[in-house]
Amino acid sequence: MNMASKKLRRAGLPQELCKRLSRHQITTCQDFLCLSLLELMKVTGQSYWNVQKLLHTVSQACAPRMQTVYEMKMKRTTNPSSAFLPTTLGDLDKILHGGIACGSLTEITGPSGCGKTQFCIMMSLLATFPTSLGGLDGAVIYIDTESAFSAERLLEMARHRFPDYFATEEKLVLIANRIHLYREFTCHSVLKRIESLEEEIISKNAKLVVIDSVASVVRKEFDTKLQGNLQQRSNLLSREASILKYLAEEFSIPVILTNQITTWLSDGLAVQADLLSPADDFSLSEGSRNGEPGYVTAALGNTWSHSVNTRLILQYLDSQTRQLLVAKSPIAPFTSFLYRIENSGFVLQDQKDQPYCVWEGTSPVLQAIKVRKDTFKNEPEMV
């Protein structure tokens, strides 16, 4: 999706004209620019010269203005608070130069139970906070494809993480009302929702978009072993990524996506690791299955991997220890942190006892992901 997908009502045309055009299913700059002069004269009811002026206005609105690297740098320097959504995890924010970047796509990937949804809930809470407290002071659009979102968990996290701010029920109700949840369970409904997000962002003053998860519906509907399905899936993911990138850049907001895991075997076969037992997952991540080398990595393949700007991996080191990796970033080095999940949400472990590790650069390849060694049948999982 490019700037031509911008809604006409944001392109500087009179609102009455926009309403008239919408009755002919002409709602975006692209719809308008694809019509001939004669067609435009007919649907607008205006003269040849007026239509020429309208074409110029619409063209200008959807043609991105050239900017220098210096302008980009100064924009972030003069208003750094609008460039990132802080995670409130001090060392992680420091490595990421401020937190989750606005204007780009951030993916959270890892095995089931490692805390992907917990992270999304925590970031949703933080985005609604006033800017004076490090938030973005806006609404959140949360697309839930697995019925994993928990309102009770959101409120629990708010009370424990910010007990002073949420001393009254009124504050809790206010925050809860700013998070707009959509449950979508098919590829078609997810795509339609994404395509309608521009107006949602404007009308609700949304400052964060979350999709949890991208992989869930795609993997249910596309058997990539069938001829043509892999290409269809790739086209769908490319379309979704394109729209989301446009929205992130156009409104300067962060977009957070969660992804699942896949096991790659030596012959290039991908196995949906999420459907295997944790014990199977771990043996594969360690490098073998039935004598064949293989490893667990992020789902959806390399094309999708290149679509996201930042990738954070959540993984298990053992039954008690979880690790967060900054696996891909345009600004941060490859870094690892140990973390735990408490009533207040994510908490990094004391760096004095367990210092985080930094390597030079981040890798664009699909990294191997560690998962649990045992099934922990008696331990409740946090989604």
Side-chain angles (χ1 to χ4, degrees):
M1 182 175 182
N2 51 37
M3 295 290 283
S5 296
K6 179 184 285 189
K7 298 293 183 183
L8 275 176
R9 66 188 185 89
R10 298 183 57 236
L13 297 187
Q15 292 305 304
E16 282 303 314
L17 178 58
C18 289
K19 289 178 183 177
R20 176 171 180 161
L21 291 169
S22 69
R23 290 195 287 270
H24 296 274
Q25 285 74 53
I26 303 167
T27 59
T28 68
C29 293
Q30 184 173 354
D31 296 336
F32 190 87
L33 295 172
C34 284
L35 297 176
S36 68
L37 281 168
L38 191 59
E39 289 170 324
L40 286 173
M41 290 168 64
K42 184 176 179 181
V43 296
T44 62
Q46 301 205 21
S47 69
Y48 174 84
W49 295 112
N50 281 344
V51 167
Q52 288 277 36
K53 291 178 184 177
L54 292 174
L55 277 170
H56 178 75
T57 300
V58 173
S59 298
Q60 288 291 102
C62 67
R65 185 185 70 82
M66 182 279 296
Q67 60 179 328
T68 66
V69 173
Y70 179 75
E71 287 175 320
M72 293 171 66
K73 180 180 182 301
M74 288 306 296
K75 188 186 295 184
R76 294 209 165 192
T77 302
T78 55
N79 193 12
S81 62
S82 65
F84 297 95
L85 170 58
T87 67
T88 67
L89 303 173
D91 289 321
L92 177 60
D93 285 340
K94 183 178 177 181
I95 286 292
L96 294 175
H97 293 249
I100 303 300
C102 296
S104 68
L105 310 188
T106 296
E107 181 199 80
I108 316 297
T109 192
S112 175
C114 61
K116 300 187 295 292
T117 297
Q118 301 292 310
F119 188 87
C120 291
I121 291 174
M122 188 172 86
M123 297 313 299
S124 298
L125 172 66
L126 296 171
T128 64
F129 265 45
T131 52
S132 59
L133 296 176
L136 299 179
D137 196 21
V140 176
I141 295 173
Y142 197 114
I143 300 174
D144 182 7
T145 68
E146 298 184 282
S147 296
F149 184 90
S150 167
E152 291 76 17
R153 180 66 178 123
L154 171 77
L155 298 179
E156 177 187 41
M157 208 177 281
R159 289 191 187 98
H160 284 85
R161 200 170 194 90
F162 307 100
D164 294 336
Y165 186 78
F166 291 107
T168 64
E169 259 331 282
E170 186 182 0
K171 285 280 183 68
L172 285 169
V173 171
L174 180 65
I175 291 296
N177 277 328
R178 300 185 86 176
I179 299 175
H180 304 273
L181 182 70
Y182 297 98
R183 290 208 157 104
E184 309 291 355
F185 303 116
T186 68
C187 289
H188 176 74
S189 65
V190 170
L191 179 60
K192 296 300 286 183
R193 178 63 61 189
I194 290 174
E195 289 175 337
S196 70
L197 283 183
E198 186 172 20
E199 293 200 9
E200 292 280 306
I201 291 170
I202 296 168
S203 63
K204 294 177 169 58
N205 187 33
K207 297 296 184 179
L208 170 66
V209 172
V210 177
I211 303 180
D212 180 24
S213 83
V214 173
S216 176
V217 288
V218 171
R219 299 173 89 184
K220 287 174 188 171
E221 295 184 32
F222 288 95
D223 181 353
T224 54
K225 295 174 187 174
L226 298 178
Q227 189 174 9
N229 267 14
L230 186 59
Q231 185 60 50
Q232 289 179 32
R233 188 183 85 161
S234 179
N235 291 342
L236 172 71
L237 289 170
S238 296
R239 170 70 177 163
E240 290 181 351
S242 179
I243 297 172
L244 292 169
K245 279 193 171 183
Y246 160 74
L247 295 171
E249 293 171 6
E250 177 72 3
F251 295 101
S252 190
I253 62 173
V255 174
I256 298 176
L257 317 160
T258 66
N259 193 3
Q260 298 175 343
I261 55 175
T262 288
T263 298
W264 285 91
L265 303 179
S266 58
D267 59 1
L269 176 66
V271 179
Q272 189 165 334
D274 306 72
L275 301 181
L276 303 174
S277 74
D280 285 339
D281 283 352
F282 191 83
S283 66
L284 285 163
S285 70
E286 290 297 294
S288 67
R289 186 188 186 211
N290 299 326
E292 296 180 358
Y295 63 97
V296 174
T297 188
L300 304 181
N302 268 314
T303 302
W304 173 259
S305 178
H306 292 304
S307 296
V308 298
N309 304 99
T310 302
R311 168 173 280 161
L312 304 181
I313 292 176
L314 307 180
Q315 63 181 13
Y316 296 98
L317 293 184
D318 56 46
S319 61
Q320 302 299 319
T321 312
R322 301 176 186 185
Q323 185 181 53
L324 185 155
L325 301 178
V326 180
K328 176 188 176 186
S329 168
I331 56 176
F334 191 94
T335 318
S336 71
F337 302 90
L338 298 184
Y339 71 95
R340 59 184 181 273
I341 299 176
E342 300 182 349
N343 290 336
S344 61
F346 270 61
V347 177
L348 296 185
Q349 291 195 12
D350 190 347
Q351 302 304 319
K352 294 177 183 177
D353 299 329
Q354 194 73 51
Y356 62 82
C357 302
V358 180
W359 294 270
E360 286 299 320
T362 49
S363 172
V365 301
L366 295 172
Q367 293 88 358
I369 298 172
K370 296 181 185 295
V371 294
R372 293 180 294 182
K373 284 186 177 179
D374 56 69
T375 56
F376 307 129
K377 292 179 180 176
N378 298 321
E379 179 185 332
E381 288 191 3
M382 299 191 89
V383 181

